Amino acid sequence: MPEHYDVIIVGSGAGGGTLAYRLAPSGRRVLILERGDWLPREPQNWDATAVFVDNRYVSSDQWYDGDGKAFQPQVHYVVGGATKFYGAALYRLREADFEELRHHDGISPAWAVGYDVMEPYYTQAEELYQVHGARGEDPTEPPATGPYPYPPVSHESRIQRLFDDMTAVGLHPFHAPCGVMLDESRPERSACIRCATCDGFPCLVHAKSDADVVAVRPAIEHDNVTLVRNARVRRLETDGSGRTVTSVVADVDGAQERFTADVVVVSAGAVNSAKILLASANDHHPNGLANGSDQVGRNYVFHNSRAFLAVSTERNDTRFQKTLGLNDFYFGDADFGYPMGNLQMVGKSSAPMYRGEKPLEAAFAPTFALRDVAEHAVDFWLSVEDLPDPDNRVTLDRDGNVHLHYEPNNQVPMQQLYHRVKKHLSRLGMHPHHLVPRDVYMKNDVPVAGCAHQAGTVRFGTDPATSVLDTDCKAHELDNLYVVDASFFPSIGAVNPALTVMANALRVGDHLLARLS
C-alpha cells in the first residue's frame, strides 16, 4: 500500500518550495512532486552561449499561441523552478496594488486581502530569502515593520554614477531589493562573488536565494518531507462527490503512479497549474476541476516588459549590475495621470549574447563596432502592469496541448515610461540615439514565449462566481485543493512577483498548519 501523506505539493518553485519549508518542521508527512530534476552543476551554468543562445536549460515543451502557431516557452523544469534563473529582484507589491487601481486601458481589480494581511509575511519572506535593501529610498515603497534583514548591495562604479546622475536630475533611484547570499563586509566568507552570471543564469556556487537552495534543500533534511523528482503530474482525481481530491496521478520516470494525501497543493506555474486543473475534468467538474465559474485558465498576465541596452559614453565594467531601481513613474506623473511602472537594471549583457544580426549591426554602425558594445552597454528593464482580461487565457485542445491566447493591453504606459527614460539618457552619460531592445539578439522570437512573470489563471476572491480560490487559496468547489503559485493573483502590479508568491506561500502554510492540527 503506497504511503499516504498529509500534504502533496505539486511543484518546488517560489510557491511550492516555500510552502514545503514552512510545513517541514511540523512533522507532517509532506510529498513534493517536481516535474524536473536537480539542475546540473556544470561549467555551462555560467556560459552565456549555452544559456541564452543554445537554450540549454529551457524546456522542450511546445505550446501554441492564439493563432495556433507552435512556440517554445521560456520555462524551466528543475527543482526550484523559475527561481533558479531569476534575477532575485524581490520586491513587495505597492500598497495601492492591492486596491482597485485605474489604468490607461481599464481597471486593475482589488485583491481579496489587503496589504496589511500580507505585510508580516513579506517580512518573513525577506528574512528567509536573505533580501538586501534599504528602506526609505523608494518614494512608493509600502510600509514595513522593520528594516531589510541585510544591507543593500552596493553599486559598482558605473552604476553608482548612474545613481548620482539620476539624483541630480531630480529622480529618486534606490538600491533594488536583491536576494543573494552576499557578505560585503567579509568577502572572504561570502558565498556570492558578485559575478556577471546571475540574472538569467543558474548560480553555480549556490549563492542566489532561489527556492531550491533556500527552501527545498532545508525542507528535505526533515525525515517527514519527501521529494520525488522527474514526476510529471497528469491529473487530479476526486471521490464520488467531486468535493475531495483523492489522488494525484503522475508519470514518474515514465511510469504512471498515484499518490494520495489529505491536502493537495498545486504550484506548477500559472500555465501548468491551469493545465492540470483543466486536464482533471470529470463528471462533477466537466469543464475542469474547480472550474464551475469558468475562470480556470482565464486572466493570464505576465507584465508588459521591455529590456533594452543603452550605450554609455564611458566603459561599463560592472559585473553585478542589478542593484538599482526607479519607481518615480510607477503611479504616473503630472503629464500622464495613469500608472506607468518600474525601471530596474537587468543582468549585464556580454559579447556572446550578440549574435551578429543585421538589426543590431545597423543600430550601432558606424559609431560602435559590435565588439565595443558589450564594453559600453548599460542594460535596463522596464515593467508595466498588463491588465487581466478573461480572453487572455490558457486552454487545452483535445490532445491536451496548451494553447496560450494573449492579446497585449495597456501599451501606452510602456511608451510613456520608455519616453521618460529616453529623454534623460543624455544627462545620465548615455548616447540617446543608441537604444536597442534586447530581444533583437536574445532568443525570444514570440513575445508571449517570455513568460517568466506569468500569473493569474486561477484567481482567488470572495465570490465563487468570479474566482476559483477563496482567500486561503483553497478551491471554492473542493475541500482539500489549494493553489499557491502566482496563479492566484487577481492582478500583477508592475514589480517582480516572486516575493509576493513566497509571502503568500508562508501565509497559506500557516493556514494549513492550523487545519492539520
Side-chain angles (χ1 to χ4, degrees), residues 189-261:
R189 299 188 180 186
S190 176
C192 175
I193 59 174
R194 291 190 67 123
C195 68
T197 48
C198 186
D199 192 6
F201 295 83
C203 182
L204 183 58
V205 296
H206 285 178
K208 179 159 57 178
S209 296
D210 62 51
D212 166 23
V213 174
V214 167
V216 176
R217 292 178 192 241
I220 62 176
E221 289 296 313
H222 295 260
D223 292 339
N224 55 297
V225 180
T226 302
L227 170 66
V228 175
R229 308 185 308 279
N230 301 306
R232 182 172 184 172
V233 171
R234 294 295 187 178
R235 66 185 182 276
L236 310 179
E237 296 177 335
T238 68
D239 64 5
S241 72
R243 290 290 307 178
T244 302
V245 176
T246 54
S247 59
V248 178
V249 181
D251 294 338
V252 181
D253 291 325
Q256 188 177 99
E257 295 189 31
R258 277 178 169 79
F259 303 90
T260 66

Side-chain angles (χ1 to χ4, degrees), residues 4-160:
H4 181 81
Y5 295 89
D6 292 303
V7 181
I8 291 176
I9 302 171
V10 179
S12 63
T18 306
L19 178 62
Y21 179 90
R22 176 63 111 213
L23 299 179
S26 71
R28 296 292 177 178
R29 297 183 304 281
V30 177
L31 172 65
I32 308 168
L33 295 175
E34 168 52 51
R35 177 170 171 175
D37 208 333
W38 301 112
L39 189 139
R41 300 184 72 184
E42 55 186 4
Q44 291 91 334
N45 288 175
W46 283 353
D47 184 327
T49 299
V51 173
F52 289 101
V53 179
D54 298 338
N55 274 348
R56 182 177 181 85
Y57 304 108
V58 172
S59 164
S60 60
D61 273 10
Q62 183 171 272
W63 296 351
Y64 296 86
D65 66 16
D67 296 322
K69 180 181 177 182
F71 67 93
Q72 183 182 21
Q74 301 290 297
V75 294
H76 306 89
Y77 300 130
V78 293
V79 178
T83 67
K84 293 300 292 184
F85 294 85
Y86 74 166
L90 295 176
Y91 286 79
R92 299 181 180 208
L93 286 175
R94 313 293 91 173
E95 192 170 15
D97 287 326
F98 289 85
E99 303 165 359
E100 184 175 285
L101 197 58
R102 180 169 294 279
H103 285 257
H104 183 273
D105 278 11
I107 298 294
S108 178
W111 285 43
V113 300
Y115 176 78
D116 59 328
V117 173
M118 292 293 294
E119 197 285 328
Y121 293 104
Y122 273 132
T123 298
Q124 293 173 35
E126 287 169 346
E127 183 69 40
L128 175 59
Y129 281 87
Q130 302 187 35
V131 182
H132 296 243
R135 306 274 189 225
E137 294 180 334
D138 174 5
T140 72
E141 72 177 359
T145 52
Y148 279 103
Y150 294 89
V153 178
S154 66
H155 302 309
E156 294 176 45
S157 59
R158 181 64 189 90
I159 306 305
Q160 182 62 54

Side-chain angles (χ1 to χ4, degrees), residues 323-407:
T323 59
L324 180 148
L326 185 78
N327 278 335
D328 285 48
F329 310 110
Y330 196 93
F331 293 115
D333 62 13
D335 298 318
F336 187 76
Y338 298 101
M340 284 180 266
N342 166 263
L343 175 146
Q344 58 185 274
M345 313 308 295
V346 71
K348 182 73 175 70
S349 58
S350 60
M353 296 180 186
Y354 310 147
R355 299 191 299 162
E357 294 177 348
K358 290 181 180 179
L360 186 62
E361 294 174 356
F364 291 107
T367 308
F368 285 92
L370 286 180
R371 64 179 179 273
D372 298 324
V373 173
E375 296 177 353
H376 291 78
V378 178
D379 308 80
F380 295 91
W381 175 274
L382 303 183
S383 183
V384 169
E385 181 167 0
D386 56 335
L387 301 179
D389 179 339
D391 292 327
N392 285 342
R393 63 184 300 196
V394 176
T395 60
L396 301 184
D397 62 27
R398 62 181 57 189
D399 295 321
N401 297 309
V402 168
H403 289 249
L404 183 53
H405 306 253
Y406 184 84
E407 288 293 331

